[in-house]
């Protein structure tokens, strides 16, 4: 048998009480004691869930046993369990308690000094993207509040802004240089000093690598700067071209001398 619904209203100092059963009640009050207003029951007895319906369909449920709230779910397993989309209108979802506003997810038109017009994940000291498989946590990408980004098992990226463990596979890489002096056109300048073949031969025998080119030991310990290395290799190609041009001139002159000797 259904319990009767009770309604009482006093115009001055509004008080409304809806009693649904011996296990629950809805009470609101605008008197001087707002802390006594509540939805539910103050009883310590076993309570039934509070269910909100519309058009005969359950829309929301508050589980009495644990306080879990389900929207579109009749058996919520977390403090808030939603079956469907959630919209936060031009605002943030903060991930820590109290007044903390430094950890969250938000839609931002501007963030700091950057124009975004999209979602932003932010944290006080940084943040991360991670996986959890069979209870094992693994950080895939991590960023710090100094702007440094690490992908993979990276402890300290040093002075670099991006460090990727085990390398990058990409179809295209474009490296910018700051000024024209960072490229190797200077090799063709009239005042460029190039080693003679004899000097180059002596240098290679002593150092086992070309001038201005890092040794294998240096590359292992320091790595290479792509822009600088490309410019260095280009300078060697240009020097080689100049050596070839020089040899061609010498060969042409030698051929003239031989031809002259043969005609005498």
């Amino acid at each position: 048998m259904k319990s009767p619904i009770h309604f009482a209203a006093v115009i001055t100092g509004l008080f409304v009480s809806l009693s649904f059963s011996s296990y629950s009640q809805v009470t609101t009050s605008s008197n001087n004691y707002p802390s006594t207003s509540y939805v539910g029951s103050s009883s310590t007895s076993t309570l039934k869930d509070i269910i909100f319906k519309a058009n005969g369909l359950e829309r929301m449920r508050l589980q009495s046993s644990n306080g879990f709230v389900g929207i579109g779910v009749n058996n919520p397993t977390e403090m808030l369990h939603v079956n469907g989309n959630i919209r936060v209108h031009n605002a943030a979802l903060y991930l820590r308690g109290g007044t903390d506003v430094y950890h969250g997810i938000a839609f931002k038109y501007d963030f700091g000094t950057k124009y975004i017009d999209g979602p932003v994940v932010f944290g006080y000291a940084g943040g991360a993207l991670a996986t959890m498989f069979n209870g094992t946590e693994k950080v895939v990408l991590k960023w710090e509040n100094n702007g440094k980004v690490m992908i993979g098992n990276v402890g300290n990226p040093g002075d670099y802004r991006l460090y990727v463990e085990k390398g990058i596979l990409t179809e295209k890489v474009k490296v910018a240089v700051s000024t024209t002096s960072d490229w190797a056109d200077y090799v063709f300048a009239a005042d460029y000093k190039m080693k003679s073949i004899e000097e180059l031969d002596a240098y290679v025998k002593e150092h086992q690598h070309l001038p201005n080119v890092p040794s294998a030991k240096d590359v292992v310990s320091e790595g290479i700067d792509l822009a600088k290395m490309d410019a260095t290799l280009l300078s060697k190609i240009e020097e080689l071209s100049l050596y070839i041009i020089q040899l061609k001139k010498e060969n042409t002159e030698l051929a003239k001398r031989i031809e002259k000797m043969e005609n005498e």
Side-chain angles (χ1 to χ4, degrees):
M1 179 178 179
K2 295 183 179 179
S3 300
I5 297 178
H6 302 285
F7 178 86
V10 179
I11 301 301
T12 58
L14 180 63
F15 175 82
V16 178
S17 176
L18 301 178
S19 179
F20 296 94
S21 70
S22 59
Y23 299 104
S24 63
Q25 66 184 34
V26 179
T27 303
T28 64
S29 175
S30 61
N31 57 22
N32 295 328
Y33 306 97
S35 61
T36 62
S37 301
Y38 59 87
V39 176
S41 172
S42 59
S43 172
T44 58
S45 303
T46 302
L47 302 176
K48 295 181 180 180
D49 296 350
I50 297 176
I51 301 172
F52 297 84
K53 290 187 176 183
N55 296 328
L57 299 175
E58 179 178 331
R59 303 300 186 183
M60 186 170 71
R61 176 184 294 257
L62 171 62
Q63 286 188 339
S64 60
S65 59
N66 50 31
F68 289 176
V69 175
I71 301 177
V73 180
N74 59 16
N75 57 340
T77 58
E78 300 294 341
M79 291 301 296
L80 178 61
H81 190 160
V82 179
N83 179 17
N85 297 329
I86 299 176
R87 185 181 299 277
V88 179
H89 185 68
N90 293 349
L93 177 64
Y94 297 112
L95 304 179
R96 296 193 67 184
T99 59
D100 186 297
V101 294
Y102 303 110
H103 305 83
I105 304 171
F107 171 84
K108 293 287 186 178
Y109 287 106
D110 299 284
F111 197 82
T113 59
K114 302 295 183 181
Y115 176 72
I116 303 297
D117 192 14
V120 176
V121 179
F122 55 93
Y124 184 81
L129 301 178
T131 63
M132 180 180 289
F133 180 72
N134 291 336
T136 300
E137 299 177 349
K138 184 177 180 180
V139 174
V140 177
L141 182 149
K142 177 185 176 183
W143 63 90
E144 298 178 344
N145 60 3
N146 55 15
K148 295 181 179 181
V149 178
M150 292 143 281
I151 299 177
N153 186 23
V154 181
N156 185 355
D159 294 331
Y160 298 97
R161 299 299 294 269
L162 173 63
Y163 191 109
V164 181
E165 182 187 23
K166 295 185 178 180
I168 300 173
L169 176 62
T170 179
E171 293 183 350
K172 184 177 180 180
V173 175
K174 185 174 183 179
V175 180
V177 295
S178 300
T179 65
T180 56
S181 62
D182 291 330
W183 205 231
D185 290 351
Y186 55 81
V187 172
F188 296 128
D191 58 350
Y192 181 72
K193 303 297 183 183
M194 192 169 63
K195 292 183 181 295
S196 67
I197 293 294
E198 292 75 20
E199 291 174 330
L200 179 62
D201 180 50
Y203 184 95
V204 170
K205 287 180 179 178
E206 179 180 356
H207 300 283
Q208 299 298 303
H209 63 83
L210 290 172
N212 300 323
V213 174
S215 66
K217 182 179 179 180
D218 291 337
V219 172
V220 170
S221 61
E222 302 295 333
I224 60 172
D225 182 308
L226 284 179
K228 290 183 178 179
M229 179 55 69
D230 280 354
T232 297
L233 295 179
L234 178 60
S235 71
K236 298 308 165 186
I237 294 173
E238 292 175 342
E239 287 178 353
L240 181 59
S241 298
L242 292 177
Y243 284 128
I244 293 174
I245 293 172
Q246 181 181 341
L247 289 174
K248 173 62 177 177
K249 290 179 180 179
E250 292 176 355
N251 287 340
T252 300
E253 182 64 26
L254 182 59
K256 289 180 179 180
R257 291 181 181 181
I258 293 173
E259 182 180 4
K260 182 178 179 180
M261 291 174 61
E262 290 178 345
N263 293 333
E264 288 180 350

